[in-house]
Amino acid sequence: MNHSCSNACAPREPDLLPYQVVLSETDWGSLETPFGNGEDLPEVLTRLLTPDPKAQVKALSELGEMVGHQNTVYEATAPVALYVTGILTHPATTTPRPYRNVPFRAALLNWLASTAYDASDEIVGRTEQYFPGFLTPGTIVASFRDLRPMLYQAVSPFLRDSHEDVREAAAVAALILAEHPALAEHRDHLAVHARAILDTSGDAPDRRVARKALEAWGHDVPALEPFLEEPWDWGPQSDGRGYLEPPF
């Protein structure tokens, strides 16, 4: 008997829960945020899908404080990230941003990239030096990092999006998420996107992410650009413009 196994036998990451399930089945009031618990998060998350682009942007700005204050990962950060990835395909995310002809989806992907960066190898490696045990299995940050393959599954389709800003935002998020060992097989493909960012992007933080990924994965990169020599916590979209630059 032939016991060979096809690709279908390979382990795979569980699919993302529908965003409606994340919203309704998460015990938000039991989750830590920088300002108490997350009981107000469902209302804010729901506003991400309103038809009013200004309300969408305001809601995402509020999330940045409620689950990412001072670039910290909280208990509520993980389910919020799962919700955000779950709505990426929703028609409401194609709404143009106020004052910019850029889909709101790009801002959501930039938020995911920034949040993933707060739990990246670079950031947690430095933190671990001062707080041993920071990455012990089961801790808040370790649990969030375990979600990276699942988040990547939702982000990667947008590497082929028709809008340039969405493609770049997806690429930056994917490059950070792909630090997870289970995603190593995707790195050669992602290197193509990293080089595209270096070749065409004028966004310095995005270029830094692309460069760091290529270096970490053993690829040759061009000579270092002086403006990329920045503090260690200078992550994607953190150049003062951010993923929600005014005016709103």
Side-chain angles (χ1 to χ4, degrees):
M1 181 181 296
N2 185 353
H3 292 284
S4 63
C5 187
S6 68
N7 290 337
C9 299
R12 64 188 298 271
E13 286 300 315
D15 291 332
L16 279 169
L17 289 173
Y19 69 90
Q20 301 97 325
V21 174
V22 175
L23 189 68
S24 63
E25 296 192 2
T26 300
D27 184 4
W28 298 100
S30 71
L31 299 178
E32 173 206 24
T33 74
F35 308 109
N37 64 46
E39 62 183 359
D40 294 330
L41 284 168
E43 186 274 331
V44 179
L45 291 170
T46 300
R47 280 193 276 122
L48 293 175
L49 297 178
T50 63
D52 180 355
K54 291 185 179 180
Q56 289 179 314
V57 167
K58 186 174 186 294
L60 189 56
S61 179
E62 290 175 26
L63 282 183
E65 278 298 298
M66 295 175 76
V67 300
H69 183 67
Q70 295 184 338
N71 305 104
T72 301
V73 175
Y74 298 88
E75 284 182 333
T77 306
V80 168
L82 291 173
Y83 180 91
V84 170
T85 52
I87 67 172
L88 287 174
T89 57
H90 194 285
T93 66
T94 63
T95 303
R97 289 263 309 284
Y99 308 102
R100 294 188 66 205
N101 189 27
V102 176
F104 182 56
R105 180 177 290 150
L108 293 174
L109 286 163
N110 281 327
W111 182 87
L112 286 167
S114 181
T115 303
Y117 181 78
D118 292 337
S120 66
D121 290 353
E122 179 180 7
I123 300 301
V124 301
R126 292 176 180 270
T127 306
E128 183 81 7
Q129 295 177 18
Y130 302 99
F131 300 97
F134 183 67
L135 282 180
T136 300
T139 59
I140 292 172
V141 173
S143 296
F144 179 83
R145 282 163 60 85
D146 288 342
L147 294 176
R148 289 177 292 176
M150 190 183 298
L151 300 178
Y152 179 87
Q153 186 182 84
V155 167
S156 59
F158 298 99
L159 295 169
R160 303 180 298 275
D161 195 85
S162 60
H163 198 287
E164 180 181 3
D165 289 70
V166 174
R167 290 197 305 273
E168 181 168 331
V172 172
L175 288 168
I176 298 169
L177 295 168
E179 291 179 342
H180 193 287
L183 298 172
E185 65 182 301
H186 300 286
R187 291 173 186 170
D188 285 344
H189 169 67
L190 290 173
V192 176
H193 294 278
R195 292 196 182 280
I197 290 173
L198 291 179
D199 289 342
T200 64
S201 177
D203 187 275
D206 287 0
R207 293 172 63 83
R208 181 180 185 274
V209 169
R211 181 183 191 86
K212 288 285 187 180
L214 289 171
E215 289 176 341
W217 301 341
H219 292 263
D220 293 332
V221 292
L224 185 64
E225 301 164 71
F227 70 89
L228 290 181
E229 292 282 9
E230 295 291 337
W232 61 269
D233 58 347
W234 193 50
Q237 302 296 335
S238 61
D239 58 350
R241 175 173 64 85
Y243 49 80
L244 294 173
E245 71 277 9
F248 302 143

